[in-house]
Amino acid sequence: MRTIERIPTGIPGLDEMIDGGLPFPSLTLVAGDIGSGKATFCMQFLCKGAELKEPGLFFMTFGGPPEWIFKFMSTYEFGEQRYLGNEIKYIDLGECIEAKKQLNEVLEMIRSLILKFQPKRIVMDSLSSIKDVMGDDYKRLLLKFCKMIKDLKIAVLVTGESVPGSPYPIDIAHLADGVILLHNTEVNLSRRRSIEILKMRGTSHPCGKYAIDISTKGLTVYPGLQL
Amino acid sequence: MRTIERIPTGIPGLDEMIDGGLPFPSLTLVAGDIGSGKATFCMQFLCKGAELKEPGLFFMTFGGPPEWIFKFMSTYEFGEQRYLGNEIKYIDLGECIEAKKQLNEVLEMIRSLILKFQPKRIVMDSLSSIKDVMGDDYKRLLLKFCKMIKDLKIAVLVTGESVPGSPYPIDIAHLADGVILLHNTEVNLSRRRSIEILKMRGTSHPCGKYAIDISTKGLTVYPGLQL
Amino acid sequence: MRTIERIPTGIPGLDEMIDGGLPFPSLTLVAGDIGSGKATFCMQFLCKGAELKEPGLFFMTFGGPPEWIFKFMSTYEFGEQRYLGNEIKYIDLGECIEAKKQLNEVLEMIRSLILKFQPKRIVMDSLSSIKDVMGDDYKRLLLKFCKMIKDLKIAVLVTGESVPGSPYPIDIAHLADGVILLHNTEVNLSRRRSIEILKMRGTSHPCGKYAIDISTKGLTVYPGLQL
Amino acid sequence: MRTIERIPTGIPGLDEMIDGGLPFPSLTLVAGDIGSGKATFCMQFLCKGAELKEPGLFFMTFGGPPEWIFKFMSTYEFGEQRYLGNEIKYIDLGECIEAKKQLNEVLEMIRSLILKFQPKRIVMDSLSSIKDVMGDDYKRLLLKFCKMIKDLKIAVLVTGESVPGSPYPIDIAHLADGVILLHNTEVNLSRRRSIEILKMRGTSHPCGKYAIDISTKGLTVYPGLQL
Amino acid sequence: MRTIERIPTGIPGLDEMIDGGLPFPSLTLVAGDIGSGKATFCMQFLCKGAELKEPGLFFMTFGGPPEWIFKFMSTYEFGEQRYLGNEIKYIDLGECIEAKKQLNEVLEMIRSLILKFQPKRIVMDSLSSIKDVMGDDYKRLLLKFCKMIKDLKIAVLVTGESVPGSPYPIDIAHLADGVILLHNTEVNLSRRRSIEILKMRGTSHPCGKYAIDISTKGLTVYPGLQL
Amino acid sequence: MRTIERIPTGIPGLDEMIDGGLPFPSLTLVAGDIGSGKATFCMQFLCKGAELKEPGLFFMTFGGPPEWIFKFMSTYEFGEQRYLGNEIKYIDLGECIEAKKQLNEVLEMIRSLILKFQPKRIVMDSLSSIKDVMGDDYKRLLLKFCKMIKDLKIAVLVTGESVPGSPYPIDIAHLADGVILLHNTEVNLSRRRSIEILKMRGTSHPCGKYAIDISTKGLTVYPGLQL
């Protein structure tokens, strides 16, 4: 038996549920409904890295100038504006892919950005935009990307949308080392937030749903409050 | 932590639930079933702007001469006929797009209309008609449109239809800064109206469904009546 | 606030629920299951017009010689045989469209028929047959037809089929000024008939389902019997 | 108000529920699950005609030599072998259509068969095989066939399969003058047979499900046993 | 009223539920979930024939050398190894069809195999593999095959897979003379086996589900244990 | 009656439920949700082989350098690092297939790898990646692969993903000799793990779900704890 290197998520309460943090390197899918806190989760992860002086790369397809996502995020306590462009670099994923549509070109572009910025943490929000543009090549890109980030020693978060009848994108979940679901479930006509760790390779983690809260501190997980 | 500029919606009771109004600039999806009050919501938003002397642009695909939507809306107290063509300009979205089917042409047309009328508020009812005409280019148009309206500092409402098994259009919801659902739910064989704020970036908002009422005053939200 | 001109439906009990009648002009979708009374609703509407000396046009795709629908309808008290070919003209919609498949030709044909007969009331039973023949052009035809009938001042009923998982055709419902559902719901293994006004622009109407009855008098709505 | 000519079905108990029989002429869809009694219903209808000296035509796509369906049916008391080839003629619908795939050819073939045999009753089991072979032309064939049989004064039964989520073929149901469902519903892990008249033009019929029984007498309806 | 020739199934308890056996000739669909006993049912049927000196043909698409299915089946008491290649011949259906893809060629091949081996019993496990290879011609092949086996006087079993939302292949069920379902239903988190005769032409059979058991004797039906 | 050779799975508690182990040779589908323990099941199977000096081949499409899956697996007690590259060889299935896309080439490649390494145990994780690349040829490849491994005397595990509405891949399940489901079912908002043997040719096995546990010993089945 061996132990695996860990990287803290920055989400209060979560790391203690997963042997101290995400396996490093690894690719983790964070999936959930609209408004379930996926973007906040990812920002906390990047800001925690910035706090620890670990460079972060934010590949995003957010509908707006990148400054805006930081503007929105700056309403959280952890979202320090000075990180932007310094510890955390953002890349407009959609534009990049539109310019270079060949599988190998896109992959090379991502690799050269990674080699240039030497990130320890990456967020891709979201991979589905790649799917829209690349079509059939998407799955192969996904597979090659997974290998690349492990060769280069990076912890990656990828976001995925829940759609009716499918709580997470199956193809990414299959390849990912970890799958985390954020629920915003309707219970008796109101909504209750929770987190669920479906899978995490090399990690002994609890099953089931645990209460979360979203405040100006971002997400907080309550490992003692199983739903 | 920073604060974000707000713009009032004109819906009694709603602004107090969302830190004073919609983030400005921002793109908000208003989704709901047929008859749930989407069009009324949008007209209240534009008329509130007109009342505040903020120019509004109404891109519409309503099935009828534009005068007619105002005729119908004039049965509400807030719907002053004199706004039409003055504070509120309408554009026949369908015809525009049919004439110019290239992605960049449509985008240029929208941009030049915006630059000409300098609106602070825009309503698009509905984006799905763009989808019908533009096919695959639709998602890229959506992405570029999102960026454009933030560069130009506009608050945009986009309407979306609930269809069985999908309460809102996923692709727009993903890009939007806010997602508001209008429910007209069947409860014990009768219908009960409510509003639900699923997501609003940079805004601390309550979860769950809150009672709404539609009268000659348009929509009224009751923040104290959670369902 | 303004008031809108109204046209009585001829359905006992219904007009008092919708401010005296359908908005005039307007396009109203009447949707429901097989056997829910859509055809009877439409015939009552046309016969009411005939009684008031308002010319009516019946575009139909009924599977049989047009005389037959009148033969069936003549089992109702309101269905006076002498209306046929006089106050109420019928047009075989399917044959017309088959002969002229171009969007503009079909639209011109419909317009010239309308100009020739000068109807105040039109029934289209059903638009879906247009969809079958015209394919992609269908939505644009729908949009242009909506505008035409409002320019020409006509009240139009369009029928739509409920199919499993979709109680009414979404695309027509979006464009229509009103949407009326006829239910024939299975309750405890028996069937209970009801009517529901989902949407009616410019009209303050009750929500929920109200009992209806089908007898030799046709449909009768019981506004006091909410289900 | 007028009355409509009727034709008895031969199903004990059914005619008294529908003003004495099926409207004549008319097209009635008999739909139901596998094993619900559709074929038996149709054979009773044809044999009743044979008993009354009304010629019957049986268009079938049954998987076997036509003699076989009569062999199976001869296990019922009403199924007199001597009708076959005399009062009741059968036509292999599938082979006919395969030989003549053009819309007008198929229609002409059906018309000439009808003119030759002068049937008063026709069964088509099933129309879906026409759909398989004719593709897009199917709906137009259906429409023209409906008109033809009314011009020629024939009562037609058409069978339709229930499939999961769709208890009857929508397109035929829309055109048909009557829709009869045969249920074989699972209730508490056992099966209960029933009949339901969803629609019958010009006929005042009860709604809801009524018990049926299948014995060596074929189907028997119990109008007093509503489920 | 006439009686129909019967052929025993070899399944203890089943024949007494269906007037002594399957109609002869006939085509019967045996459908059910993975692991519900379809293959065992078919082997019992063929081995019963072998015991009665009735030649059997086994068209199979089993994933392995044909000897293997017999090896597995030899763990049942009825599965005597000496039948293989003698009373029971097997044909690799997939390979045959792959070699001859034309409708008439495949049909001719099947016919010549039947004429050569003169089987009284045939099992096809499964027809869906024909569907995969032949595409659109599949339904016509099915129809012609049904006729052929009745002309040639053979009792045929065809297996079909239950898939979510569709307990049996509709198109085969429509043509088949009999449809038998094998259930392996989850009840209170455990599984309960049962058989259900949905349809059997010319046969008066009970409705509902009856308990079955699978042991080293193969399937045993308990006609007295209705679920 | 005959007995069939068996091969132990290495899963504590499982072999006693299936007559001592998997039939040898055979192909077994191991299907389940994300995080249900499929990969762990397969590794235990291979490591058990390694412990018994039986060579194992691991065809994988895991998203990462193959060393990584062993790194993750080494957190289990049975996962001895020294097996890798010795008793257990891994093959990057995706890369192999991408290089040789013709049906026969892929099959030849797999055969030559098998002939070279002479494995007694094979894991394919997962076959669905073959489906993505090979399209229509996939089913024929599957069929031929099944035959090959039985000719060559190998026990094969194939993994399959549960997707909403389909707990296992139907086409593989049909061909496989055994189907094992791993459940991670939500019960009262928590998750409960279990195993279910849906089908195992030539094996008398219990039906229903049995509790399993995942610890540093890997999967343990509790044959006495039926859920």
Side-chain angles (χ1 to χ4, degrees):
Chain A
M1 285 179 68
R2 302 181 4 165
T3 58
I4 288 181
E5 191 179 347
R6 302 279 161 183
I7 191 169
T9 60
I11 316 284
L14 178 57
D15 292 335
E16 62 185 85
M17 295 172 71
I18 51 174
D19 295 349
L22 300 175
F24 182 80
S26 65
L27 184 144
T28 303
L29 170 66
V30 178
D33 300 300
I34 291 289
S36 62
K38 297 186 299 293
T40 303
F41 189 111
C42 291
M43 280 307 278
Q44 277 178 280
F45 174 73
L46 287 180
C47 290
K48 182 66 180 182
E51 186 193 317
L52 299 174
K53 305 298 173 204
E54 299 168 2
L57 251 184
F58 195 172
F59 291 91
M60 74 175 83
T61 58
F62 165 73
E67 293 78 8
W68 266 96
I69 192 76
F70 283 88
K71 196 168 155 192
F72 284 135
M73 283 305 159
S74 67
T75 60
Y76 290 113
E77 293 176 10
F78 60 80
E80 301 203 19
Q81 191 75 7
R82 66 179 160 83
Y83 293 155
L84 179 60
N86 294 302
E87 285 84 356
I88 304 174
K89 305 281 198 288
Y90 59 81
I91 311 286
D92 188 318
L93 192 59
E95 283 195 358
C96 288
I97 292 172
E98 211 169 311
K100 302 177 184 298
K101 288 194 181 175
Q102 297 303 307
L103 176 73
N104 289 327
E105 284 180 340
V106 171
L107 213 63
E108 255 334 292
M109 180 202 69
I110 293 176
R111 179 192 295 275
S112 67
L113 284 167
I114 291 176
L115 291 179
K116 180 177 169 196
F117 293 117
Q118 300 278 349
K120 191 167 179 187
R121 299 172 181 236
I122 288 179
V123 165
M124 294 202 119
D125 181 12
S126 64
L127 265 181
S128 66
S129 62
I130 302 191
K131 198 173 187 173
D132 290 339
V133 179
M134 302 208 57
D136 287 349
D137 278 342
Y138 164 74
K139 283 204 178 171
R140 282 197 279 166
L141 179 69
L142 200 59
L143 209 58
K144 287 169 188 282
F145 175 70
C146 282
K147 288 184 186 159
M148 187 206 297
I149 61 112
K150 281 181 194 150
D151 280 337
L152 297 173
K153 300 257 176 197
I154 307 167
V156 178
L157 294 190
V158 170
T159 62
E161 301 291 312
S162 295
V163 295
S166 176
Y168 48 84
I170 303 275
D171 44 8
I172 301 178
H174 180 58
L175 287 178
D177 301 305
V179 177
I180 294 174
L181 293 187
L182 296 176
H183 298 285
N184 193 10
T185 317
E186 194 168 337
V187 179
N188 296 330
L189 291 172
S190 77
R191 299 262 173 187
R192 191 179 295 173
R193 293 185 184 283
S194 62
I195 195 171
E196 181 173 21
I197 302 159
L198 272 194
K199 157 180 170 180
M200 194 159 289
R201 289 191 179 126
T203 306
S204 101
H205 60 85
C207 290
K209 296 176 178 171
Y210 291 83
I212 59 174
D213 176 58
I214 301 185
S215 66
T216 56
K217 291 179 200 300
L219 270 77
T220 302
V221 177
Y222 297 96
L225 281 179
Q226 191 174 5
L227 300 188
Chain B
M1 285 179 68
R2 302 181 5 165
T3 59
I4 288 181
E5 192 180 346
R6 303 278 162 184
I7 190 169
T9 61
I11 316 284
L14 178 58
D15 292 336
E16 61 185 86
M17 294 172 71
I18 51 174
D19 294 350
L22 300 175
F24 183 80
S26 65
L27 184 144
T28 303
L29 171 65
V30 178
D33 300 301
I34 291 289
S36 61
K38 296 185 300 293
T40 303
F41 188 111
C42 291
M43 280 306 279
Q44 278 178 279
F45 174 74
L46 287 180
C47 290
K48 182 67 180 181
E51 186 193 316
L52 299 174
K53 305 297 175 203
E54 299 168 1
L57 251 184
F58 195 172
F59 291 91
M60 73 174 84
T61 58
F62 165 74
E67 294 77 8
W68 265 96
I69 192 76
F70 282 89
K71 196 168 155 191
F72 285 134
M73 284 305 159
S74 67
T75 60
Y76 290 113
E77 293 176 9
F78 60 81
E80 301 204 19
Q81 191 76 9
R82 65 178 161 83
Y83 292 155
L84 179 60
N86 294 302
E87 285 85 355
I88 304 173
K89 306 281 198 287
Y90 60 81
I91 311 285
D92 188 318
L93 192 58
E95 284 194 358
C96 289
I97 291 173
E98 212 170 311
K100 302 176 184 300
K101 287 195 181 175
Q102 297 303 307
L103 175 73
N104 289 326
E105 284 180 340
V106 171
L107 213 63
E108 254 335 292
M109 181 202 69
I110 293 176
R111 180 192 295 274
S112 67
L113 285 167
I114 291 176
L115 291 178
K116 180 176 169 198
F117 293 116
Q118 299 279 348
K120 191 166 178 187
R121 297 171 182 236
I122 287 180
V123 166
M124 296 203 117
D125 181 12
S126 66
L127 265 181
S128 66
S129 61
I130 302 191
K131 198 172 186 173
D132 290 338
V133 180
M134 303 207 57
D136 286 349
D137 277 342
Y138 164 74
K139 284 205 176 170
R140 281 195 281 167
L141 179 68
L142 200 59
L143 209 57
K144 287 170 187 283
F145 175 69
C146 282
K147 288 184 186 158
M148 187 206 296
I149 60 111
K150 281 182 194 151
D151 280 337
L152 297 173
K153 300 255 174 197
I154 307 167
V156 178
L157 294 190
V158 170
T159 62
E161 301 291 313
S162 294
V163 295
S166 176
Y168 48 84
I170 303 274
D171 45 7
I172 302 179
H174 179 58
L175 287 178
D177 301 306
V179 177
I180 293 174
L181 293 187
L182 296 176
H183 299 284
N184 193 11
T185 317
E186 196 169 336
V187 179
N188 296 329
L189 291 172
S190 76
R191 298 263 173 186
R192 190 179 296 172
R193 292 185 183 284
S194 62
I195 196 171
E196 181 174 21
I197 301 158
L198 272 194
K199 157 180 169 179
M200 194 159 289
R201 287 188 180 129
T203 307
S204 101
H205 60 83
C207 290
K209 296 175 178 172
Y210 291 84
I212 60 174
D213 176 59
I214 302 185
S215 67
T216 55
K217 292 180 200 299
L219 270 77
T220 302
V221 177
Y222 297 96
L225 281 179
Q226 191 174 5
L227 300 187
Chain C
M1 286 180 67
R2 302 182 3 165
T3 58
I4 287 180
E5 193 180 346
R6 303 279 162 182
I7 191 170
T9 61
I11 316 285
L14 179 57
D15 292 337
E16 62 185 86
M17 293 172 71
I18 52 174
D19 294 350
L22 300 175
F24 182 81
S26 64
L27 183 143
T28 303
L29 171 65
V30 178
D33 300 301
I34 290 289
S36 61
K38 296 185 299 292
T40 304
F41 189 110
C42 291
M43 280 305 279
Q44 278 178 279
F45 175 74
L46 287 179
C47 290
K48 181 67 180 182
E51 187 193 317
L52 299 174
K53 305 298 173 203
E54 299 168 1
L57 251 183
F58 194 172
F59 291 91
M60 73 174 85
T61 59
F62 164 73
E67 294 77 8
W68 265 96
I69 192 78
F70 282 90
K71 195 168 154 194
F72 285 133
M73 284 304 160
S74 67
T75 60
Y76 290 113
E77 293 176 10
F78 61 79
E80 301 204 18
Q81 192 76 7
R82 65 178 162 82
Y83 292 156
L84 179 59
N86 294 301
E87 285 85 354
I88 304 174
K89 306 281 199 289
Y90 60 81
I91 311 285
D92 188 317
L93 191 60
E95 284 193 359
C96 289
I97 291 173
E98 211 169 311
K100 302 176 185 299
K101 288 194 181 176
Q102 296 304 308
L103 175 74
N104 289 326
E105 284 181 340
V106 171
L107 213 62
E108 255 335 292
M109 181 202 69
I110 293 175
R111 179 192 297 272
S112 67
L113 285 166
I114 291 176
L115 292 178
K116 179 176 170 198
F117 293 117
Q118 299 276 351
K120 191 167 178 187
R121 296 172 183 237
I122 288 179
V123 166
M124 294 203 119
D125 180 11
S126 65
L127 265 182
S128 66
S129 61
I130 302 190
K131 197 172 185 173
D132 290 338
V133 180
M134 303 207 57
D136 286 349
D137 277 342
Y138 164 73
K139 284 204 176 171
R140 281 195 280 166
L141 179 68
L142 200 60
L143 209 58
K144 288 169 187 283
F145 175 71
C146 284
K147 288 183 186 159
M148 187 207 296
I149 61 111
K150 282 182 193 149
D151 280 336
L152 297 173
K153 300 254 174 201
I154 307 167
V156 179
L157 293 190
V158 170
T159 62
E161 301 291 313
S162 295
V163 294
S166 176
Y168 48 83
I170 303 272
D171 44 7
I172 302 178
H174 181 59
L175 287 177
D177 301 307
V179 177
I180 293 175
L181 293 188
L182 296 175
H183 298 284
N184 193 10
T185 317
E186 194 168 338
V187 180
N188 297 329
L189 291 172
S190 77
R191 298 264 174 185
R192 190 178 296 171
R193 292 185 184 284
S194 62
I195 195 171
E196 181 174 22
I197 301 158
L198 272 194
K199 156 180 170 180
M200 195 159 288
R201 287 187 180 131
T203 306
S204 100
H205 60 84
C207 290
K209 297 175 177 171
Y210 291 84
I212 60 174
D213 175 59
I214 302 185
S215 67
T216 57
K217 291 181 200 299
L219 270 76
T220 302
V221 178
Y222 297 97
L225 281 179
Q226 191 174 6
L227 299 188
Chain D
M1 285 180 67
R2 302 183 2 166
T3 58
I4 288 180
E5 191 178 348
R6 301 281 162 181
I7 190 169
T9 60
I11 316 284
L14 179 57
D15 292 336
E16 62 185 86
M17 294 172 71
I18 51 173
D19 294 351
L22 299 175
F24 181 81
S26 65
L27 184 143
T28 303
L29 171 65
V30 178
D33 300 300
I34 290 290
S36 61
K38 296 185 300 292
T40 303
F41 188 109
C42 291
M43 281 306 280
Q44 278 178 280
F45 175 75
L46 287 179
C47 290
K48 181 67 181 181
E51 186 194 317
L52 299 174
K53 305 296 174 208
E54 298 168 1
L57 251 184
F58 194 172
F59 291 91
M60 74 175 84
T61 58
F62 164 73
E67 294 78 8
W68 266 95
I69 192 78
F70 282 90
K71 196 169 155 192
F72 284 134
M73 283 304 159
S74 68
T75 60
Y76 290 112
E77 294 175 9
F78 61 80
E80 302 204 19
Q81 191 75 9
R82 65 178 161 82
Y83 292 155
L84 179 60
N86 295 302
E87 285 85 354
I88 304 174
K89 305 281 199 288
Y90 60 80
I91 311 285
D92 188 319
L93 191 59
E95 283 194 0
C96 289
I97 291 172
E98 211 169 312
K100 302 175 185 297
K101 288 195 182 176
Q102 296 303 308
L103 176 74
N104 289 326
E105 285 181 341
V106 171
L107 213 64
E108 254 336 291
M109 181 201 68
I110 293 175
R111 180 192 296 273
S112 67
L113 284 166
I114 291 175
L115 291 179
K116 180 177 169 197
F117 294 116
Q118 299 276 350
K120 192 167 176 187
R121 296 173 184 236
I122 287 179
V123 165
M124 294 202 120
D125 180 11
S126 66
L127 266 182
S128 66
S129 62
I130 303 190
K131 197 173 186 174
D132 289 338
V133 180
M134 302 208 55
D136 287 349
D137 277 342
Y138 164 74
K139 284 204 176 171
R140 282 196 280 168
L141 178 69
L142 200 60
L143 209 59
K144 288 169 188 283
F145 175 71
C146 282
K147 289 183 184 158
M148 187 206 297
I149 61 112
K150 281 182 194 150
D151 280 337
L152 297 172
K153 299 254 175 201
I154 307 167
V156 179
L157 293 190
V158 170
T159 63
E161 301 291 312
S162 294
V163 295
S166 175
Y168 48 82
I170 304 272
D171 45 6
I172 302 178
H174 181 59
L175 287 177
D177 301 307
V179 177
I180 293 175
L181 292 188
L182 296 176
H183 298 285
N184 193 10
T185 317
E186 194 169 338
V187 179
N188 296 330
L189 290 173
S190 77
R191 299 263 174 187
R192 190 179 296 173
R193 293 184 182 283
S194 62
I195 196 171
E196 181 174 21
I197 301 157
L198 272 194
K199 156 181 171 179
M200 195 160 287
R201 287 187 179 131
T203 307
S204 100
H205 60 84
C207 290
K209 296 176 177 171
Y210 291 84
I212 60 175
D213 175 59
I214 302 185
S215 67
T216 56
K217 293 179 200 300
L219 270 75
T220 303
V221 178
Y222 298 97
L225 281 179
Q226 191 173 7
L227 299 189
Chain E
M1 285 179 65
R2 302 184 1 168
T3 59
I4 288 181
E5 192 180 345
R6 300 281 162 183
I7 190 170
T9 61
I11 315 283
L14 179 57
D15 292 336
E16 62 184 87
M17 294 172 71
I18 51 175
D19 295 351
L22 299 175
F24 182 81
S26 65
L27 183 143
T28 303
L29 171 65
V30 178
D33 300 299
I34 290 289
S36 61
K38 297 185 300 290
T40 302
F41 189 110
C42 290
M43 280 307 279
Q44 278 178 279
F45 174 74
L46 287 179
C47 290
K48 182 67 180 179
E51 186 193 318
L52 299 174
K53 304 298 174 205
E54 299 168 2
L57 251 184
F58 194 172
F59 290 92
M60 73 174 85
T61 57
F62 164 72
E67 293 78 8
W68 265 96
I69 192 78
F70 283 90
K71 196 169 155 192
F72 285 134
M73 284 304 161
S74 67
T75 59
Y76 290 112
E77 294 176 9
F78 61 79
E80 302 204 17
Q81 192 75 8
R82 64 180 162 82
Y83 292 156
L84 179 60
N86 295 301
E87 285 85 354
I88 304 174
K89 305 281 199 289
Y90 59 79
I91 310 286
D92 188 318
L93 192 58
E95 283 194 359
C96 289
I97 291 172
E98 211 169 311
K100 302 177 185 298
K101 289 195 181 176
Q102 296 303 309
L103 176 74
N104 290 327
E105 284 181 341
V106 172
L107 213 63
E108 256 333 293
M109 181 201 68
I110 292 176
R111 179 192 296 273
S112 67
L113 284 167
I114 291 176
L115 292 178
K116 180 177 169 197
F117 293 116
Q118 300 277 350
K120 193 167 177 186
R121 296 172 183 235
I122 287 179
V123 165
M124 294 203 120
D125 181 10
S126 66
L127 265 182
S128 65
S129 63
I130 303 189
K131 198 173 186 174
D132 289 339
V133 179
M134 301 207 58
D136 287 349
D137 277 341
Y138 165 75
K139 283 204 177 172
R140 281 196 281 168
L141 179 68
L142 201 59
L143 209 58
K144 287 169 188 283
F145 175 71
C146 282
K147 288 182 185 159
M148 187 206 297
I149 61 113
K150 281 181 194 148
D151 280 336
L152 297 173
K153 300 255 174 198
I154 306 167
V156 178
L157 294 190
V158 169
T159 62
E161 301 290 313
S162 295
V163 295
S166 176
Y168 47 83
I170 304 274
D171 44 7
I172 301 177
H174 180 59
L175 287 178
D177 301 307
V179 177
I180 293 175
L181 292 188
L182 296 176
H183 298 285
N184 193 10
T185 317
E186 194 169 338
V187 180
N188 296 330
L189 290 172
S190 77
R191 299 263 172 185
R192 191 179 296 173
R193 293 184 182 284
S194 62
I195 196 171
E196 180 173 22
I197 301 158
L198 271 194
K199 155 181 170 179
M200 195 160 288
R201 289 187 178 129
T203 306
S204 101
H205 60 84
C207 290
K209 297 175 177 171
Y210 291 84
I212 60 174
D213 176 58
I214 301 185
S215 67
T216 56
K217 292 179 200 301
L219 270 77
T220 302
V221 178
Y222 298 95
L225 281 179
Q226 191 174 6
L227 299 189
Chain F
M1 286 179 66
R2 301 182 2 165
T3 57
I4 287 181
E5 192 180 346
R6 302 279 163 184
I7 191 169
T9 61
I11 316 284
L14 179 58
D15 292 336
E16 62 185 85
M17 294 172 72
I18 51 175
D19 295 351
L22 300 175
F24 182 80
S26 65
L27 183 144
T28 303
L29 171 65
V30 178
D33 300 299
I34 290 289
S36 62
K38 297 185 301 291
T40 303
F41 189 110
C42 291
M43 281 305 280
Q44 277 178 280
F45 174 73
L46 287 179
C47 289
K48 182 67 180 181
E51 186 193 317
L52 299 173
K53 305 298 173 204
E54 298 168 2
L57 252 184
F58 194 172
F59 290 90
M60 74 175 83
T61 57
F62 164 74
E67 293 78 7
W68 266 96
I69 192 77
F70 282 90
K71 196 169 155 191
F72 284 134
M73 283 305 159
S74 68
T75 60
Y76 290 113
E77 293 175 11
F78 61 79
E80 302 203 19
Q81 191 75 7
R82 65 179 161 81
Y83 292 156
L84 179 60
N86 295 301
E87 286 84 355
I88 304 174
K89 305 280 198 289
Y90 59 80
I91 311 286
D92 188 318
L93 192 59
E95 283 195 358
C96 289
I97 291 172
E98 210 169 312
K100 303 178 184 297
K101 288 195 181 174
Q102 297 303 307
L103 176 74
N104 289 327
E105 284 181 339
V106 171
L107 213 63
E108 256 334 292
M109 181 202 68
I110 292 176
R111 180 192 295 275
S112 68
L113 284 167
I114 290 176
L115 292 179
K116 180 176 169 197
F117 293 117
Q118 299 277 351
K120 192 167 178 186
R121 297 171 183 237
I122 288 179
V123 166
M124 294 201 120
D125 181 12
S126 66
L127 265 181
S128 66
S129 62
I130 302 190
K131 198 173 186 173
D132 290 337
V133 179
M134 302 208 57
D136 287 350
D137 277 342
Y138 165 74
K139 283 203 178 172
R140 281 196 280 168
L141 179 69
L142 201 59
L143 209 59
K144 287 170 189 282
F145 175 70
C146 282
K147 288 183 186 159
M148 188 206 296
I149 60 113
K150 282 182 193 147
D151 280 337
L152 296 173
K153 300 257 176 199
I154 306 167
V156 179
L157 294 190
V158 170
T159 62
E161 302 290 313
S162 296
V163 295
S166 176
Y168 48 84
I170 304 274
D171 44 7
I172 301 178
H174 181 59
L175 287 177
D177 301 306
V179 177
I180 294 175
L181 292 188
L182 296 176
H183 299 285
N184 193 10
T185 317
E186 194 168 338
V187 179
N188 296 329
L189 291 172
S190 77
R191 300 263 172 186
R192 191 179 296 173
R193 293 184 183 283
S194 62
I195 195 171
E196 181 173 22
I197 301 158
L198 271 194
K199 156 180 170 179
M200 195 160 289
R201 288 187 179 130
T203 306
S204 100
H205 60 83
C207 290
K209 296 176 177 171
Y210 292 84
I212 60 173
D213 175 57
I214 301 186
S215 67
T216 57
K217 291 180 200 300
L219 269 78
T220 301
V221 177
Y222 297 96
L225 282 179
Q226 191 174 6
L227 299 189

